[in-house]
mmCIF file of all heavy atoms in Angstrom:
data_model
loop_
_atom_site.group_PDB
_atom_site.id
_atom_site.type_symbol
_atom_site.label_atom_id
_atom_site.label_comp_id
_atom_site.label_asym_id
_atom_site.label_seq_id
_atom_site.Cartn_x
_atom_site.Cartn_y
_atom_site.Cartn_z
ATOM 1 N N ASP E 18 140.155 66.399 161.686
ATOM 2 C CA ASP E 18 139.926 66.256 160.244
ATOM 3 C C ASP E 18 138.833 65.373 160.097
ATOM 4 O O ASP E 18 138.957 64.165 160.313
ATOM 5 C CB ASP E 18 141.194 65.797 159.603
ATOM 6 C CG ASP E 18 141.111 65.838 158.050
ATOM 7 O OD1 ASP E 18 140.202 66.527 157.603
ATOM 8 O OD2 ASP E 18 141.993 65.346 157.382
ATOM 9 N N ILE E 19 137.664 65.958 159.568
ATOM 10 C CA ILE E 19 136.460 65.138 159.437
ATOM 11 C C ILE E 19 136.616 64.042 158.422
ATOM 12 O O ILE E 19 135.881 62.988 158.363
ATOM 13 C CB ILE E 19 135.246 66.009 159.208
ATOM 14 C CG1 ILE E 19 133.975 65.392 159.420
ATOM 15 C CG2 ILE E 19 135.313 66.613 157.847
ATOM 16 C CD1 ILE E 19 133.713 64.957 160.875
ATOM 17 N N THR E 20 137.496 64.299 157.381
ATOM 18 C CA THR E 20 137.687 63.242 156.312
ATOM 19 C C THR E 20 138.250 61.974 156.863
ATOM 20 O O THR E 20 138.101 60.885 156.268
ATOM 21 C CB THR E 20 138.546 63.748 155.198
ATOM 22 O OG1 THR E 20 139.757 64.025 155.729
ATOM 23 C CG2 THR E 20 137.904 64.906 154.545
ATOM 24 N N LEU E 21 138.935 61.945 158.019
ATOM 25 C CA LEU E 21 139.566 60.709 158.622
ATOM 26 C C LEU E 21 138.434 59.914 159.156
ATOM 27 O O LEU E 21 138.621 58.678 159.392
ATOM 28 C CB LEU E 21 140.535 61.058 159.591
ATOM 29 C CG LEU E 21 141.911 61.758 159.080
ATOM 30 C CD1 LEU E 21 142.763 61.993 160.197
ATOM 31 C CD2 LEU E 21 142.475 60.875 157.960
ATOM 32 N N ALA E 22 137.321 60.514 159.569
ATOM 33 C CA ALA E 22 136.318 59.717 160.256
ATOM 34 C C ALA E 22 135.277 59.018 159.257
ATOM 35 O O ALA E 22 134.606 58.126 159.640
ATOM 36 C CB ALA E 22 135.450 60.642 161.118
ATOM 37 N N SER E 23 135.336 59.420 158.048
ATOM 38 C CA SER E 23 134.509 58.831 156.996
ATOM 39 C C SER E 23 135.060 57.425 156.491
ATOM 40 O O SER E 23 136.342 57.195 156.727
ATOM 41 C CB SER E 23 134.198 59.690 155.762
ATOM 42 O OG SER E 23 135.563 59.871 155.104
ATOM 43 N N THR E 24 134.240 56.631 155.982
ATOM 44 C CA THR E 24 134.740 55.339 155.461
ATOM 45 C C THR E 24 135.746 55.530 154.324
ATOM 46 O O THR E 24 136.710 54.810 154.264
ATOM 47 C CB THR E 24 133.514 54.545 154.904
ATOM 48 O OG1 THR E 24 132.475 54.422 155.931
ATOM 49 C CG2 THR E 24 133.914 53.141 154.537
ATOM 50 N N SER E 25 135.456 56.538 153.503
ATOM 51 C CA SER E 25 136.449 56.696 152.438
ATOM 52 C C SER E 25 137.818 57.238 152.906
ATOM 53 O O SER E 25 138.865 56.753 152.444
ATOM 54 C CB SER E 25 135.879 57.647 151.314
ATOM 55 O OG SER E 25 135.674 58.935 151.893
ATOM 56 N N GLY E 26 137.742 58.050 153.822
ATOM 57 C CA GLY E 26 139.048 58.529 154.475
ATOM 58 C C GLY E 26 139.751 57.420 155.209
ATOM 59 O O GLY E 26 140.996 57.360 155.092
ATOM 60 N N ILE E 27 139.085 56.546 155.953
ATOM 61 C CA ILE E 27 139.626 55.389 156.568
ATOM 62 C C ILE E 27 140.316 54.516 155.569
ATOM 63 O O ILE E 27 141.446 53.982 155.651
ATOM 64 C CB ILE E 27 138.800 54.749 157.557
ATOM 65 C CG1 ILE E 27 138.387 55.534 158.686
ATOM 66 C CG2 ILE E 27 139.359 53.288 158.094
ATOM 67 C CD1 ILE E 27 137.284 54.901 159.507
ATOM 68 N N SER E 28 139.572 54.170 154.404
ATOM 69 C CA SER E 28 140.111 53.238 153.376
ATOM 70 C C SER E 28 141.296 53.913 152.651
ATOM 71 O O SER E 28 142.198 53.096 152.293
ATOM 72 C CB SER E 28 139.024 52.906 152.485
ATOM 73 O OG SER E 28 138.524 54.024 151.794
ATOM 74 N N MET E 29 141.310 55.207 152.536
ATOM 75 C CA MET E 29 142.360 55.787 151.861
ATOM 76 C C MET E 29 143.686 55.794 152.693
ATOM 77 O O MET E 29 144.754 55.515 152.165
ATOM 78 C CB MET E 29 142.098 57.338 151.439
ATOM 79 C CG MET E 29 141.107 57.586 150.378
ATOM 80 S SD MET E 29 141.633 56.766 148.798
ATOM 81 C CE MET E 29 143.095 57.715 148.488
ATOM 82 N N MET E 30 143.494 55.932 153.928
ATOM 83 C CA MET E 30 144.667 55.750 154.911
ATOM 84 C C MET E 30 145.057 54.423 154.931
ATOM 85 O O MET E 30 146.312 54.094 154.988
ATOM 86 C CB MET E 30 144.284 56.256 156.360
ATOM 87 C CG MET E 30 144.259 57.730 156.477
ATOM 88 S SD MET E 30 143.849 58.242 158.174
ATOM 89 C CE MET E 30 145.106 57.421 159.013
ATOM 90 N N LEU E 31 144.191 53.428 154.997
ATOM 91 C CA LEU E 31 144.598 51.967 155.114
ATOM 92 C C LEU E 31 145.367 51.516 153.846
ATOM 93 O O LEU E 31 146.192 50.781 154.033
ATOM 94 C CB LEU E 31 143.293 51.101 155.253
ATOM 95 C CG LEU E 31 143.450 49.744 155.493
ATOM 96 C CD1 LEU E 31 144.263 49.427 156.777
ATOM 97 C CD2 LEU E 31 142.120 48.981 155.486
ATOM 98 N N PHE E 32 144.882 51.899 152.666
ATOM 99 C CA PHE E 32 145.578 51.421 151.448
ATOM 100 C C PHE E 32 146.625 52.397 150.979
ATOM 101 O O PHE E 32 147.145 52.103 149.837
ATOM 102 C CB PHE E 32 144.571 51.130 150.503
ATOM 103 C CG PHE E 32 143.674 49.993 150.831
ATOM 104 C CD1 PHE E 32 142.236 50.133 151.066
ATOM 105 C CD2 PHE E 32 144.167 48.668 150.908
ATOM 106 C CE1 PHE E 32 141.562 49.131 151.460
ATOM 107 C CE2 PHE E 32 143.396 47.648 151.469
ATOM 108 C CZ PHE E 32 142.050 47.778 151.582
ATOM 109 N N SER E 33 146.896 53.401 151.647
ATOM 110 C CA SER E 33 148.038 54.292 151.206
ATOM 111 C C SER E 33 149.109 54.460 152.229
ATOM 112 O O SER E 33 150.212 53.960 152.186
ATOM 113 C CB SER E 33 147.458 55.726 150.744
ATOM 114 O OG SER E 33 146.830 56.401 151.789
ATOM 115 N N THR E 34 148.691 55.064 153.370
ATOM 116 C CA THR E 34 149.601 55.188 154.459
ATOM 117 C C THR E 34 149.954 53.945 155.177
ATOM 118 O O THR E 34 151.202 53.760 155.428
ATOM 119 C CB THR E 34 149.109 56.359 155.422
ATOM 120 O OG1 THR E 34 148.719 57.482 154.774
ATOM 121 C CG2 THR E 34 150.116 56.667 156.503
ATOM 122 N N PHE E 35 149.041 53.193 155.491
ATOM 123 C CA PHE E 35 149.231 51.956 156.307
ATOM 124 C C PHE E 35 149.084 50.697 155.496
ATOM 125 O O PHE E 35 148.775 49.633 155.990
ATOM 126 C CB PHE E 35 148.178 51.843 157.470
ATOM 127 C CG PHE E 35 148.257 53.053 158.336
ATOM 128 C CD1 PHE E 35 147.294 54.092 158.368
ATOM 129 C CD2 PHE E 35 149.417 53.203 159.286
ATOM 130 C CE1 PHE E 35 147.478 55.147 159.304
ATOM 131 C CE2 PHE E 35 149.431 54.202 160.097
ATOM 132 C CZ PHE E 35 148.493 55.163 160.157
ATOM 133 N N VAL E 36 149.578 50.708 154.241
ATOM 134 C CA VAL E 36 149.426 49.484 153.488
ATOM 135 C C VAL E 36 150.437 48.465 153.856
ATOM 136 O O VAL E 36 150.126 47.223 153.749
ATOM 137 C CB VAL E 36 149.538 49.929 151.918
ATOM 138 C CG1 VAL E 36 150.940 50.306 151.504
ATOM 139 C CG2 VAL E 36 149.097 48.712 151.022
ATOM 140 N N TYR E 37 151.573 48.824 154.165
ATOM 141 C CA TYR E 37 152.559 47.881 154.606
ATOM 142 C C TYR E 37 152.307 47.227 155.815
ATOM 143 O O TYR E 37 152.283 45.917 155.938
ATOM 144 C CB TYR E 37 153.945 48.454 154.706
ATOM 145 C CG TYR E 37 154.461 48.889 153.380
ATOM 146 C CD1 TYR E 37 154.751 50.201 153.044
ATOM 147 C CD2 TYR E 37 154.686 47.978 152.242
ATOM 148 C CE1 TYR E 37 155.261 50.595 151.757
ATOM 149 C CE2 TYR E 37 155.066 48.433 151.038
ATOM 150 C CZ TYR E 37 155.415 49.670 150.834
ATOM 151 O OH TYR E 37 155.805 50.105 149.579
ATOM 152 N N PRO E 38 151.844 47.835 156.881
ATOM 153 C CA PRO E 38 151.405 47.163 158.177
ATOM 154 C C PRO E 38 150.148 46.227 157.896
ATOM 155 O O PRO E 38 149.947 45.170 158.482
ATOM 156 C CB PRO E 38 151.060 48.216 159.185
ATOM 157 C CG PRO E 38 151.837 49.420 158.726
ATOM 158 C CD PRO E 38 151.899 49.280 157.184
ATOM 159 N N PHE E 39 149.270 46.724 156.966
ATOM 160 C CA PHE E 39 148.100 45.858 156.655
ATOM 161 C C PHE E 39 148.504 44.649 155.946
ATOM 162 O O PHE E 39 147.988 43.486 156.243
ATOM 163 C CB PHE E 39 147.188 46.707 155.710
ATOM 164 C CG PHE E 39 145.891 46.129 155.273
ATOM 165 C CD1 PHE E 39 144.891 45.860 156.215
ATOM 166 C CD2 PHE E 39 145.673 45.615 153.946
ATOM 167 C CE1 PHE E 39 143.748 45.301 155.792
ATOM 168 C CE2 PHE E 39 144.670 45.003 153.571
ATOM 169 C CZ PHE E 39 143.537 44.880 154.469
ATOM 170 N N GLU E 40 149.344 44.766 154.925
ATOM 171 C CA GLU E 40 149.847 43.468 154.277
ATOM 172 C C GLU E 40 150.604 42.581 155.213
ATOM 173 O O GLU E 40 150.713 41.362 155.054
ATOM 174 C CB GLU E 40 150.713 43.879 153.018
ATOM 175 C CG GLU E 40 149.840 44.460 151.935
ATOM 176 C CD GLU E 40 148.734 43.497 151.475
ATOM 177 O OE1 GLU E 40 149.017 42.357 151.389
ATOM 178 O OE2 GLU E 40 147.664 44.029 151.213
ATOM 179 N N LEU E 41 151.444 43.230 156.130
ATOM 180 C CA LEU E 41 152.258 42.465 157.014
ATOM 181 C C LEU E 41 151.263 41.593 157.946
ATOM 182 O O LEU E 41 151.577 40.540 158.354
ATOM 183 C CB LEU E 41 153.114 43.339 157.926
ATOM 184 C CG LEU E 41 154.065 42.617 158.954
ATOM 185 C CD1 LEU E 41 155.075 41.723 158.180
ATOM 186 C CD2 LEU E 41 154.831 43.693 159.773
ATOM 187 N N THR E 42 150.196 42.180 158.369
ATOM 188 C CA THR E 42 149.269 41.508 159.210
ATOM 189 C C THR E 42 148.704 40.302 158.530
ATOM 190 O O THR E 42 148.584 39.270 159.070
ATOM 191 C CB THR E 42 148.087 42.395 159.700
ATOM 192 O OG1 THR E 42 148.655 43.573 160.318
ATOM 193 C CG2 THR E 42 147.128 41.803 160.522
ATOM 194 N N SER E 43 148.322 40.439 157.236
ATOM 195 C CA SER E 43 147.811 39.318 156.537
ATOM 196 C C SER E 43 148.909 38.218 156.421
ATOM 197 O O SER E 43 148.555 37.066 156.358
ATOM 198 C CB SER E 43 147.356 39.766 155.164
ATOM 199 O OG SER E 43 148.285 40.301 154.403
ATOM 200 N N PHE E 44 150.102 38.666 156.146
ATOM 201 C CA PHE E 44 151.216 37.706 156.025
ATOM 202 C C PHE E 44 151.404 36.905 157.358
ATOM 203 O O PHE E 44 151.620 35.748 157.335
ATOM 204 C CB PHE E 44 152.539 38.386 155.635
ATOM 205 C CG PHE E 44 153.658 37.492 155.403
ATOM 206 C CD1 PHE E 44 153.751 36.569 154.342
ATOM 207 C CD2 PHE E 44 154.715 37.505 156.413
ATOM 208 C CE1 PHE E 44 154.842 35.749 154.258
ATOM 209 C CE2 PHE E 44 155.795 36.645 156.286
ATOM 210 C CZ PHE E 44 155.900 35.830 155.268
ATOM 211 N N LEU E 45 151.223 37.637 158.440
ATOM 212 C CA LEU E 45 151.466 37.045 159.862
ATOM 213 C C LEU E 45 150.368 35.998 159.979
ATOM 214 O O LEU E 45 150.586 34.838 160.571
ATOM 215 C CB LEU E 45 151.567 38.056 160.875
ATOM 216 C CG LEU E 45 152.743 38.760 161.097
ATOM 217 C CD1 LEU E 45 152.639 39.939 162.059
ATOM 218 C CD2 LEU E 45 153.974 37.850 161.323
ATOM 219 N N ILE E 46 149.034 36.286 159.587
ATOM 220 C CA ILE E 46 148.055 35.340 159.687
ATOM 221 C C ILE E 46 148.182 34.093 158.897
ATOM 222 O O ILE E 46 148.003 32.969 159.280
ATOM 223 C CB ILE E 46 146.784 36.051 159.416
ATOM 224 C CG1 ILE E 46 146.344 37.127 160.427
ATOM 225 C CG2 ILE E 46 145.534 34.961 159.275
ATOM 226 C CD1 ILE E 46 145.178 37.876 160.146
ATOM 227 N N LEU E 47 148.714 34.303 157.632
ATOM 228 C CA LEU E 47 149.126 33.111 156.752
ATOM 229 C C LEU E 47 150.132 32.356 157.353
ATOM 230 O O LEU E 47 149.958 31.045 157.373
ATOM 231 C CB LEU E 47 149.500 33.705 155.348
ATOM 232 C CG LEU E 47 149.928 32.632 154.346
ATOM 233 C CD1 LEU E 47 148.820 31.834 154.033
ATOM 234 C CD2 LEU E 47 150.551 33.248 153.188
ATOM 235 N N VAL E 48 151.185 32.853 157.958
ATOM 236 C CA VAL E 48 152.267 32.053 158.618
ATOM 237 C C VAL E 48 151.755 31.243 159.849
ATOM 238 O O VAL E 48 152.077 30.125 160.078
ATOM 239 C CB VAL E 48 153.434 33.033 159.087
ATOM 240 C CG1 VAL E 48 154.420 32.219 160.060
ATOM 241 C CG2 VAL E 48 154.171 33.486 157.816
ATOM 242 N N ALA E 49 150.628 31.974 160.581
ATOM 243 C CA ALA E 49 150.161 31.284 161.681
ATOM 244 C C ALA E 49 149.337 30.035 161.284
ATOM 245 O O ALA E 49 149.313 28.989 161.874
ATOM 246 C CB ALA E 49 149.264 32.166 162.477
ATOM 247 N N ILE E 50 148.591 30.232 160.211
ATOM 248 C CA ILE E 50 147.870 29.023 159.602
ATOM 249 C C ILE E 50 148.871 27.901 159.193
ATOM 250 O O ILE E 50 148.534 26.766 159.534
ATOM 251 C CB ILE E 50 146.999 29.481 158.406
ATOM 252 C CG1 ILE E 50 145.798 30.397 158.878
ATOM 253 C CG2 ILE E 50 146.275 28.311 157.705
ATOM 254 C CD1 ILE E 50 145.040 31.086 157.881
ATOM 255 N N MET E 51 149.985 28.313 158.443
ATOM 256 C CA MET E 51 150.829 27.313 158.066
ATOM 257 C C MET E 51 151.515 26.516 159.280
ATOM 258 O O MET E 51 151.764 25.325 159.261
ATOM 259 C CB MET E 51 151.821 27.909 157.117
ATOM 260 C CG MET E 51 151.336 28.440 155.751
ATOM 261 S SD MET E 51 152.354 29.295 154.721
ATOM 262 C CE MET E 51 153.676 28.186 154.629
ATOM 263 N N GLY E 52 151.826 27.262 160.300
ATOM 264 C CA GLY E 52 152.407 26.716 161.469
ATOM 265 C C GLY E 52 151.447 25.707 162.131
ATOM 266 O O GLY E 52 151.961 24.605 162.594
ATOM 267 N N ALA E 53 150.241 26.063 162.253
ATOM 268 C CA ALA E 53 149.084 25.191 162.709
ATOM 269 C C ALA E 53 149.091 23.918 161.887
ATOM 270 O O ALA E 53 148.905 22.783 162.368
ATOM 271 C CB ALA E 53 147.829 25.872 162.770
ATOM 272 N N LEU E 54 149.077 24.074 160.571
ATOM 273 C CA LEU E 54 149.112 22.895 159.707
ATOM 274 C C LEU E 54 150.323 22.039 159.895
ATOM 275 O O LEU E 54 150.274 20.723 159.932
ATOM 276 C CB LEU E 54 149.056 23.283 158.163
ATOM 277 C CG LEU E 54 147.689 23.782 157.728
ATOM 278 C CD1 LEU E 54 147.831 24.478 156.368
ATOM 279 C CD2 LEU E 54 146.713 22.779 157.852
ATOM 280 N N VAL E 55 151.571 22.581 160.078
ATOM 281 C CA VAL E 55 152.708 21.753 160.376
ATOM 282 C C VAL E 55 152.617 21.063 161.661
ATOM 283 O O VAL E 55 152.905 19.831 161.777
ATOM 284 C CB VAL E 55 153.986 22.686 160.280
ATOM 285 C CG1 VAL E 55 155.209 21.999 160.890
ATOM 286 C CG2 VAL E 55 154.268 23.198 158.888
ATOM 287 N N LEU E 56 152.068 21.751 162.679
ATOM 288 C CA LEU E 56 152.004 21.127 164.034
ATOM 289 C C LEU E 56 150.961 19.928 163.965
ATOM 290 O O LEU E 56 151.099 18.900 164.533
ATOM 291 C CB LEU E 56 151.494 22.082 165.097
ATOM 292 C CG LEU E 56 152.589 23.116 165.446
ATOM 293 C CD1 LEU E 56 152.029 24.135 166.492
ATOM 294 C CD2 LEU E 56 153.689 22.396 166.254
ATOM 295 N N ALA E 57 149.880 20.134 163.182
ATOM 296 C CA ALA E 57 148.877 19.027 163.043
ATOM 297 C C ALA E 57 149.449 17.923 162.297
ATOM 298 O O ALA E 57 149.140 16.761 162.623
ATOM 299 C CB ALA E 57 147.631 19.663 162.368
ATOM 300 N N GLN E 58 150.270 18.122 161.304
ATOM 301 C CA GLN E 58 150.767 17.005 160.544
ATOM 302 C C GLN E 58 151.898 16.264 161.356
ATOM 303 O O GLN E 58 151.909 15.033 161.162
ATOM 304 C CB GLN E 58 151.501 17.503 159.219
ATOM 305 C CG GLN E 58 150.527 18.007 158.185
ATOM 306 C CD GLN E 58 149.555 16.922 157.668
ATOM 307 O OE1 GLN E 58 149.932 15.807 157.615
ATOM 308 N NE2 GLN E 58 148.392 17.348 157.330
ATOM 309 N N ARG E 59 152.580 16.935 162.280
ATOM 310 C CA ARG E 59 153.526 16.260 163.075
ATOM 311 C C ARG E 59 152.741 15.267 163.994
ATOM 312 O O ARG E 59 153.377 14.150 164.275
ATOM 313 C CB ARG E 59 154.199 17.305 163.963
ATOM 314 C CG ARG E 59 155.674 17.442 163.399
ATOM 315 C CD ARG E 59 156.478 18.390 164.488
ATOM 316 N NE ARG E 59 157.255 19.267 163.658
ATOM 317 C CZ ARG E 59 157.633 20.349 164.116
ATOM 318 N NH1 ARG E 59 157.527 20.749 165.451
ATOM 319 N NH2 ARG E 59 158.393 21.152 163.378
ATOM 320 N N GLU E 60 151.702 15.645 164.573
ATOM 321 C CA GLU E 60 150.965 14.746 165.425
ATOM 322 C C GLU E 60 150.456 13.491 164.787
ATOM 323 O O GLU E 60 150.373 12.444 165.323
ATOM 324 C CB GLU E 60 149.860 15.558 166.181
ATOM 325 C CG GLU E 60 150.285 16.514 167.222
ATOM 326 C CD GLU E 60 149.098 17.115 167.962
ATOM 327 O OE1 GLU E 60 147.890 16.586 167.786
ATOM 328 O OE2 GLU E 60 149.257 18.045 168.781
ATOM 329 N N LYS E 61 150.046 13.734 163.435
ATOM 330 C CA LYS E 61 149.501 12.533 162.806
ATOM 331 C C LYS E 61 150.583 11.519 162.426
ATOM 332 O O LYS E 61 150.316 10.427 162.373
ATOM 333 C CB LYS E 61 148.866 13.083 161.492
ATOM 334 C CG LYS E 61 147.437 13.673 161.702
ATOM 335 C CD LYS E 61 146.945 14.173 160.282
ATOM 336 C CE LYS E 61 145.635 14.885 160.587
ATOM 337 N NZ LYS E 61 145.043 15.313 159.300
ATOM 338 N N LYS E 62 151.793 11.961 162.190
ATOM 339 C CA LYS E 62 152.915 11.076 161.855
ATOM 340 C C LYS E 62 153.261 10.269 163.015
ATOM 341 O O LYS E 62 153.709 9.084 162.866
ATOM 342 C CB LYS E 62 154.149 11.827 161.340
ATOM 343 C CG LYS E 62 153.890 12.487 160.028
ATOM 344 C CD LYS E 62 155.129 13.178 159.497
ATOM 345 C CE LYS E 62 154.933 13.863 158.220
ATOM 346 N NZ LYS E 62 156.097 14.609 157.721
ATOM 347 N N ASP E 63 153.189 10.703 164.313
ATOM 348 C CA ASP E 63 153.558 9.955 165.403
ATOM 349 C C ASP E 63 152.684 8.887 165.838
ATOM 350 O O ASP E 63 151.532 8.623 165.563
ATOM 351 C CB ASP E 63 153.702 10.840 166.629
ATOM 352 C CG ASP E 63 154.901 11.882 166.515
ATOM 353 O OD1 ASP E 63 155.725 11.605 165.546
ATOM 354 O OD2 ASP E 63 154.942 12.909 167.160
#
């Protein structure tokens, strides 16, 4: 399907079919940043 290879086809799939995995990935990155901040704060307290 040639429409899947175009930029608009990829964006339609990303924001319709794969919107939940896309948002889950951004949530996991946010949790990783927060975990790094917590670990850095623990070292400063000691």
Side-chain angles (χ1 to χ4, degrees):
D18 189 8
I19 196 67
T20 60
L21 294 180
S23 68
T24 305
S25 63
I27 292 172
S28 64
M29 288 302 294
M30 282 183 57
L31 182 63
F32 293 114
S33 61
T34 308
F35 298 108
V36 71
Y37 293 121
F39 181 74
E40 290 299 323
L41 181 65
T42 303
S43 64
F44 181 71
L45 287 174
I46 291 172
L47 178 66
V48 169
I50 292 172
M51 290 172 58
L54 288 172
V55 167
L56 287 174
Q58 292 297 329
R59 254 191 223 157
E60 284 186 12
K61 286 182 182 178
K62 288 180 182 178
D63 293 342

